[in-house]
Amino acid sequence: MNIDKIQKMLDDAEAVIFDIGNVLIEFAWEDYLHSLEFDEETYEHVADATFRSEDWDAGDSGLVTTSQWLSLFIANDPAYERQIRLAFENFGGSIVPYEYTKPWTMRLKQQKKRLYFLSNYSEEMYRQSKERLDFLGYFDGGIFSWEEKCMKPDERIYKVLLNRYRLTPEKCIFFDDRIENVEGARKAGMQAVLFHTDIPLQILEKSCTI
């Protein structure tokens, strides 16, 4: 989808809805793990037990407690329990806002767009990273999956957002970096765009040349 079409969709929309991870922030878990200075073998074990494991979604789902979530990770590789605990207790350090996030979203706000977020996100990650999500303070609302016990692309979570904020689906545009989540939004009646970081950069660049 070319940038002019996306800009036209934005111009026509009343509400702009964002995924958070790898849209408004970089989920830089590889850099975070490297910062812990594990040797290569340990790095791979911890990555497989945590960030790369199927149990990652358990936290985002909100269906397990934080301690239960940690236990799932440890059970994936008990020999590395100490290192897994170390990685877990500070993993909010993997959240890095993109430089374009505030300029882009503030520009949309100035254009009288209503801003919302819809993100698969765990309670523990939010606790550790909320200061890095300060830009959400000027959003009009949003939904974290852990609070609803429901995750994208389940149709229910899109409907919760639409109903809670009384949004007209056809007047919303949704950005997400995963095609299954984009398709879920479209099934809910929204316009949706598969996100890549060139989109805000091109929009901001064009706005500076007008």
Side-chain angles (χ1 to χ4, degrees), residues 73-82 84:
F73 291 148
I74 293 171
N76 289 333
D77 204 335
Y80 287 83
E81 177 176 354
R82 181 181 65 81
I84 290 169

Side-chain angles (χ1 to χ4, degrees), residues 93-143:
S94 64
I95 301 302
V96 182
Y98 290 117
E99 289 186 6
Y100 62 70
T101 297
K102 287 187 178 180
W104 186 34
T105 53
M106 283 298 295
R107 181 172 182 270
L108 290 167
K109 194 70 176 172
Q110 291 164 359
Q111 294 171 340
K112 309 301 181 185
K113 304 299 181 184
R114 297 165 66 189
L115 306 184
Y116 300 92
F117 61 88
L118 179 60
S119 182
N120 290 346
Y121 215 92
S122 70
E123 183 175 17
E124 180 62 18
M125 180 62 84
Y126 180 72
R127 186 187 72 79
Q128 292 192 26
S129 65
K130 59 185 177 182
E131 291 182 359
R132 300 169 186 235
L133 304 177
D134 61 332
F135 53 86
L136 296 180
Y138 54 82
F139 276 42
D140 295 279
I143 286 177

Side-chain angles (χ1 to χ4, degrees), residues 37-166:
E37 298 183 347
F38 295 143
D39 60 57
E40 184 175 352
E41 181 178 1
T42 299
Y43 173 96
E44 294 298 328
H45 277 272
V46 174
D48 286 343
T50 56
F51 296 104
R52 291 199 294 237
S53 80
E54 293 181 356
D55 292 318
W56 186 264
D57 285 350
D60 288 352
S61 75
L63 298 177
V64 297
T65 65
T66 295
S67 61
Q68 288 170 336
W69 196 26
L70 174 58
S71 294
L72 289 174
F73 291 148
I74 293 171
N76 289 333
D77 204 335
Y80 287 83
E81 177 176 354
R82 181 181 65 81
Q83 294 90 341
I84 290 169
R85 286 184 179 275
L86 176 63
F88 186 83
E89 69 184 18
N90 293 301
F91 66 16
S94 64
I95 301 302
V96 182
Y98 290 117
E99 289 186 6
Y100 62 70
T101 297
K102 287 187 178 180
W104 186 34
T105 53
M106 283 298 295
R107 181 172 182 270
L108 290 167
K109 194 70 176 172
Q110 291 164 359
Q111 294 171 340
K112 309 301 181 185
K113 304 299 181 184
R114 297 165 66 189
L115 306 184
Y116 300 92
F117 61 88
L118 179 60
S119 182
N120 290 346
Y121 215 92
S122 70
E123 183 175 17
E124 180 62 18
M125 180 62 84
Y126 180 72
R127 186 187 72 79
Q128 292 192 26
S129 65
K130 59 185 177 182
E131 291 182 359
R132 300 169 186 235
L133 304 177
D134 61 332
F135 53 86
L136 296 180
Y138 54 82
F139 276 42
D140 295 279
I143 286 177
F144 288 117
S145 58
W146 102 77
E147 295 178 308
E148 304 303 324
K149 308 295 188 289
C150 182
M151 295 173 59
K152 295 173 299 182
D154 191 314
E155 185 177 358
R156 290 175 297 168
I157 199 166
Y158 301 95
K159 289 184 175 179
V160 169
L161 178 78
L162 293 169
N163 292 335
R164 182 169 299 168
Y165 297 104
R166 299 180 180 179

